[in-house]
Structures are given as structure tokens and as C-alpha cells.
Amino acid sequence: MNTELLGIVATYVLTLIIAIPLGKYLAKVFAGEKTWTDFLKPIENGIYKLAGINPNQQMNWKQHMLALLTINSVWLVYGFFVLLYQDKLPLNPDANPGMTPDLSFNTIISFVVNCNLQHYSGETGVSYLTQQFVLMFLHFTSAATGIAAAVVFFKAFRDKTTTNLGNYWEFFVKAITRLLLPLSVVVALVLTFNGTPSSYAGKDQFISMQGDTVNVSRGPAAQMIAIKHLGTNGGGWFGANSAHPLENPNYITNMTEAISQMIIPMAMILAFGYFIRKRKLANTIFAVMTIGMFMLLIPTISSELGGNPLIAKMGISQTTGAMEGKEVRFGPMATAYWSTITTIVSTGSVNGMHDSTMPLTGLWQLLAMMINSFFGGCGVGLLNYFVYLIVAVFISGLMVGRTPEFLGHKVEAREVKIAAIITLLSPFLVMAGTAVASFVFMHYGNADWAVKPGNWLNNPGFHGFSEMLYEMTSSNANNGSGFEGLGDNNIFWNVSTGFVLILGRFLPIIGPVAIAGLLAQKKYIPESAGTLKTDTKTFALMTFAVILVLNALSYFPALALGPIAEYFTMIK
């Protein structure tokens, strides 16, 4: 156990060691200051020229969002048809079939919005061409989309009063050339030298120790696995994701992948402070997020190390903890650590099966995705947190009798209404989606569909409800992990989660950026004795309380019907 504990402590410390200087670097890159990667400027200028882009043209927040939605719509159409007809395209050595229209619809939306829900099994569901030129391509672009949106948010608070928020295309291109691509090369090399496949060869064949002939999928996996974590995407090359021995061969690769998925979300918070020259505010936000992370991590580790009470009643020793669904080479503690970070930062990759974790672990996984603001995905974590911050500013202003302000700008009715709508959006999508799914399962279980609703669940009862709740929560949070006892590759789940994915991705980006853009164009009010400071411990506590109370009120009834009820049935 001490070795396992040392492993996750080392992983977290190394993450911090990398994230802190990375945050400083990102602030300089997006502020246009001199950095060591300036040698890439000719390549970036070539991209701008080829695309007919003027990177010096300033945009307001509406123009930024129009550019973001337009380019993502293009990728949506392009990817849909490639997935649909991949069996007729080259680079398909394993002869994988084309997707059905509903699965293609769900898959392309999922990858465009940085979710990677994967209602197909990785190595058997898509061809090499699709993996490389659609899915891996979208790993880069979806992460860059979130980062570019965050930089627009940064720009809104750098100057006192402005409508000029930089150029979306410049931020987008730099996010790839200066950040995602260089880091991906490093991580891919580490994975390749530790045994992850990186060739274009088809399936390999060997005779097992039992004498069976086994066909093992290969392909250029290391490249995709690197960006799937750095970009907090999560969609794996193999169906078993990072639990697969070729996707995550040993503890070194496990640490590498765990570190990769945390460094950019952490660095973006610190970059915000350096960029707007208010490091204390960024450090305060970072502290709240860290506390939230550990409040989810510690009980998760405790739950997994405690083992399964039903197995304990059978007199079976569980000295290493609950091992169902875990990989022996990692153990329950490293799996618990991974399950926490992958749900708070919206990566959604797994190194063990979430469906097999203890009920309380499932509770913390769900809660991490429901809150979705403790570091969060690339760029969008800070945007999600900002919504809670605006609500906290408004409530605090009412409590102390001061005009709500944030960084010298009055927070008025319009900004609060936008924050309220975005705050209510997630519970609505999750609860409404789960309610509809539950209704169909209970009342139309024998409907004459290709997959009968009554066959969706391998685990009826409280855990079955948790599986449906998890699927909708994961979709809304753009996470992509799942309780895989749910049969989700059918028209109901493909279409319903597809719409939840779109709404859960773009509205929580547009809302905070709109608030920031509206605040930025208001007259700047110098700080005075009556100003409500947002970089203090008191206000940090207030924001944390707002996050907890809003999510408790929104989700507790559903959680009580799922993981909490399941827990009490196990210990009775």
C-alpha cells in the first residue's frame, strides 16, 4: 500500500512541477510575448496565408463565437460522412465496416465536442484512416477550441475597457502549434518506447499458452493516446481504453498518461493569473479547485481500498482492496486516483472499469462530472468555474449591500441571467435525459426496436439507474467515460446523448464568454474600500459553498436513487 501511495503522490507532484512553468509559458504565448517556440512563426504564418486569415484582425466576443461554431460545424459534416463510408476508404487493413447513421451521428458529435463517448469498440469500430484523420484530428481541434475560448475570456479582463478580444484563429492555431503538438510528440515517444504500438500494420496473430490462435489489433495507437490525454479527450484506440495492456503497458505509461491529462487544465488556471496580471486571484481559484479535487479523491481511495462488503461477508480476504474491474499492474489506489482526475478534467479515459467500482466511488465520479469545474477540460474548466463565481459575486453583493463587481466591472442583471441559465442547463439536460430513459425502459421495455429497451441494462435496480444517470451526466459534462453495463449503441442512446453533447458543450462556452465580453466593454471602476474583493480566502469559501449548494440541490435526489441507495443495500 505504501508503494501505491507513493506512486500517486509522485504522479501529482510531477504534475504540479510541469503545470506551473507551463502556465507561465502559455500566458506569454497568448499575450504575444517572446518565447522559445517563436521559431514556429513561419509555419503559423503559412497556415494563416493558406486559409486567408489575418491574425491581426481584432474580434469582439460575438465574432469569436461565430468563428468557433462555424469551424466546428464544418468538422461535424466532414467527419459524419467519413465514419459512414469508412469501409470504402483506404487504410482499413482489418476491414472494419462503416458505421450506421445514428452511431456516426453520435460519434462525430462526441469527438467534435471533446467528449469521445465511444458507443463503438475502438479497434474494431473504426479504420486507421478514421482514427488518424478524423478522430485524432478532432482530439487536437476540440482541445484547441476550448483553449482558444478561454484565451478570449483572458483577453476580456486584461484591459480595463475593451471590445477588442484578439483573433480566434490565432489563438486556435497557437494552441496546436505551440502547445498540443509539441507535447504530443514527447508523450507519444514515451509510450512507444514502453510498448504501445505506433505502426500501420494490421492485426498480429500468435498462438497463446492455451494453444488458441489470437488476433491482436495494432496500429498507430501511441500518437492518438498522447493527444487523447493532453487534450482531455479520452477516446482510446482500443475498446478497453487505458486498461488495455497495449494502450497503457506499465506503471511508467500509467503515470505519463495521468500527468498528461492534468497539466494543461492546471496550467490554464495559472496562465489566467499571469495573463491578466492578477496572480493572487488565479492562485485562489487554483486552491478552491485543488480542495475540491482532494475532497473527491480521498473518499474514492478509501472506498476502493475498503473492498466489497458483500465479498467480505463471504469470508474472502481483500487485502489489496476491491479488485473487480482493476488491472493488477496498477492496483486499486492508482485506479482510484485515475478515476478522480479523469472525471474532474473531463478526459473520460479509464485504466479500470468504472462500472465495477464501489457504489460510493460511483457517487464521487458522478459528482465530479456534475460539478465539472474543478480544473475541467482544456480551457473550459475555468469558464465553468466563472459561472459559479458570477453567482457567488451576485449573492455576496446582496449579502453585504454592495454593487456586485468583478475585476472593476459591474455585474448587472443581464450577466446574472446568463449565469443562471447556464447553471440550470446542466441539471436540466442530465435529469430530463435520465427521466426519459427511465420512462422508456420501464414502460416500453418490449418495444419492437432493433434493441429492445428492456435489454439496455445488465444490472437492473439501483445500479441500472446509476448506469443511465452516468451516461447522461458524462454526455453533458463532455466526459465520455461510462458505466459499461449499459447497452448504449442503439438509436435511442446515440441520438439522445448526441443532442445532450452539443448543448452541454457549446452553451457553457458561449455563456461565460458572453458574460466576459459584456463586462469588458463596461466602464472600468477603480478598486476602492467598498469593492468586494474576489481574491480573498473568504470569497473563495463563498464560491466553494455556492458550488456545493447548487449541485447538492440539483442532483441529490437522483444520486439518492442510484449510488447512495446501492451502497445501503450492500451494507445492510
Side-chain angles (χ1 to χ4, degrees):
M1 185 181 295
N2 289 336
T3 304
E4 283 194 72
L5 179 61
L6 182 62
I8 65 170
V9 170
T11 302
Y12 181 72
V13 170
L14 286 171
T15 304
L16 285 178
I17 290 172
I18 297 170
I20 293 170
L22 184 60
K24 294 180 182 178
Y25 164 76
L26 290 177
K28 289 183 177 181
V29 165
F30 293 116
E33 298 176 14
K34 188 175 181 180
T35 63
W36 65 273
T37 52
D38 285 346
F39 70 91
L40 294 167
K41 278 185 179 179
I43 298 175
E44 294 164 354
N45 291 334
I47 295 171
Y48 301 142
K49 188 174 181 179
L50 184 65
I53 293 168
N54 178 8
N56 298 317
Q57 181 180 354
Q58 294 291 312
M59 296 179 174
N60 60 32
W61 72 267
K62 293 179 182 179
Q63 291 170 317
H64 275 282
M65 293 299 96
L66 179 61
L68 183 152
L69 293 173
T70 301
I71 194 63
N72 277 274
S73 299
V74 171
W75 294 323
L76 199 67
V77 175
Y78 151 70
F80 175 79
F81 287 104
V82 175
L83 289 167
L84 208 59
Y85 298 109
Q86 65 178 352
D87 56 323
K88 298 175 176 62
L89 298 171
L91 285 178
N92 189 10
D94 298 333
N96 289 333
M99 289 187 175
T100 59
D102 59 295
L103 179 57
S104 180
F105 171 81
N106 182 275
T107 302
I108 193 58
I109 291 174
S110 184
F111 278 82
V112 165
V113 304
N114 198 246
C115 180
N116 305 178
L117 202 57
Q118 290 190 293
H119 284 176
Y120 64 93
S121 183
E123 68 270 39
T124 61
V126 284
S127 66
Y128 289 2
L129 182 138
T130 306
Q131 294 266 43
Q132 292 273 280
F133 297 101
V134 177
L135 306 186
M136 192 173 85
F137 167 75
L138 292 173
H139 279 343
F140 282 96
T141 58
S142 63
T145 295
I147 293 168
V151 178
V152 178
F153 172 82
F154 290 7
K155 290 282 287 184
F157 298 110
R158 184 178 174 90
D159 300 318
K160 292 182 178 179
T161 301
T162 186
T163 56
N164 296 326
L165 303 179
N167 186 280
Y168 175 81
W169 306 114
E170 180 189 13
F171 301 154
F172 178 82
V173 170
K174 282 186 173 180
I176 295 174
T177 58
R178 305 291 186 98
L179 176 64
L180 298 171
L181 198 55
L183 287 178
S184 293
V185 171
V186 174
V187 174
L189 287 173
V190 173
L191 297 177
T192 300
F193 283 110
N194 277 276
T196 300
S198 57
S199 74
Y200 283 88
K203 290 183 178 179
D204 195 9
Q205 190 176 86
F206 70 95
I207 306 299
S208 71
M209 294 181 69
Q210 295 181 177
D212 300 325
T213 300
V214 181
N215 294 310
V216 180
S217 295
R218 294 184 290 182
Q223 302 91 307
M224 182 174 176
I225 296 162
I227 184 58
K228 91 167 187 181
H229 285 116
L230 287 164
T232 62
N233 298 277
W237 183 275
F238 299 98
N241 210 276
S242 287
H244 195 286
L246 294 183
E247 190 154 322
N248 190 4
N250 54 48
Y251 208 91
I252 292 175
T253 59
N254 192 71
M255 288 182 67
T256 301
E257 293 179 29
I259 292 168
S260 297
Q261 61 189 291
M262 285 294 290
I263 54 174
I264 294 178
M266 283 185 167
M268 288 297 291
I269 308 302
L270 300 173
F272 175 59
Y274 288 111
F275 192 94
I276 68 169
R277 307 178 192 91
K278 291 188 179 294
R279 291 174 57 186
K280 186 178 178 182
L281 174 61
N283 290 339
T284 302
I285 294 172
F286 193 94
V288 171
M289 292 181 173
T290 302
I291 292 170
M293 171 186 166
F294 278 100
M295 286 183 67
L296 293 167
L297 174 62
I298 293 171
T300 297
I301 292 174
S302 174
S303 176
E304 292 305 307
L305 293 182
N308 188 322
L310 296 180
I311 294 177
K313 289 177 182 178
M314 298 168 64
I316 299 173
S317 175
Q318 302 174 80
T319 54
T320 58
M323 284 301 295
E324 181 190 334
K326 312 292 191 304
E327 295 296 306
V328 176
R329 65 188 185 280
F330 304 137
M333 192 176 291
T335 307
Y337 178 80
W338 186 298
S339 78
T340 300
I341 62 174
T342 200
T343 47
I344 64 170
V345 301
S346 85
T347 305
S349 65
V350 297
N351 70 346
M353 297 299 106
H354 285 194
D355 198 38
S356 294
T357 55
M358 292 294 96
L360 289 185
T361 301
L363 167 67
W364 307 125
Q365 292 164 353
L366 282 163
L367 195 56
M369 293 186 290
M370 290 166 173
I371 294 172
N372 203 25
S373 62
F374 293 151
F375 296 111
C378 281
V380 297
L382 183 59
L383 299 182
N384 294 336
Y385 184 91
F386 179 63
V387 172
Y388 290 117
L389 190 149
I390 290 297
V391 174
V393 165
F394 177 68
I395 294 173
S396 300
L398 292 178
M399 290 173 66
V400 298
R402 297 177 185 174
T403 302
E405 294 176 16
F406 181 68
L407 296 181
H409 303 281
K410 285 186 178 181
V411 177
E412 297 176 302
R414 183 163 50 171
E415 294 81 42
V416 175
K417 286 177 182 177
I418 295 172
I421 291 170
I422 300 303
T423 301
L424 294 172
L425 175 69
S426 291
F428 171 75
L429 292 176
V430 172
M431 298 304 186
T434 307
V436 171
S438 300
F439 178 82
V440 171
F441 176 78
M442 291 299 298
H443 295 277
Y444 296 94
N446 292 318
D448 189 20
W449 296 357
V451 178
K452 290 185 177 182
N455 296 332
W456 286 349
L457 303 178
N458 287 338
N459 304 282
F462 299 125
H463 190 75
F465 178 80
S466 295
E467 289 173 345
M468 293 189 288
L469 176 64
Y470 196 106
E471 187 74 3
M472 288 297 176
T473 304
S474 179
S475 301
N476 172 72
N478 290 162
N479 185 269
S481 61
F483 276 4
E484 296 308 330
L486 174 70
D488 49 23
N489 185 12
N490 54 69
I491 194 166
F492 176 86
W493 287 104
N494 285 335
V495 173
S496 62
T497 55
F499 285 111
V500 172
L501 286 163
I502 290 179
L503 296 173
R505 168 66 166 182
F506 292 114
L507 292 182
I509 288 178
I510 295 170
V513 171
I515 295 172
L518 293 170
L519 292 177
Q521 65 192 28
K522 293 183 179 182
K523 182 181 178 181
Y524 179 79
I525 304 170
E527 188 174 299
S528 65
T531 300
L532 177 66
K533 295 185 178 181
T534 55
D535 58 1
T536 62
K537 294 178 183 177
T538 302
F539 186 79
L541 182 62
M542 178 66 185
T543 307
F544 193 73
V546 166
I547 292 172
L548 292 184
V549 170
L550 287 178
N551 283 281
L553 292 173
S554 299
Y555 296 113
F556 181 77
L559 294 171
L561 290 172
I564 295 175
E566 184 186 1
Y567 169 73
F568 282 111
T569 61
M570 291 182 73
I571 64 171
K572 67 179 180 179

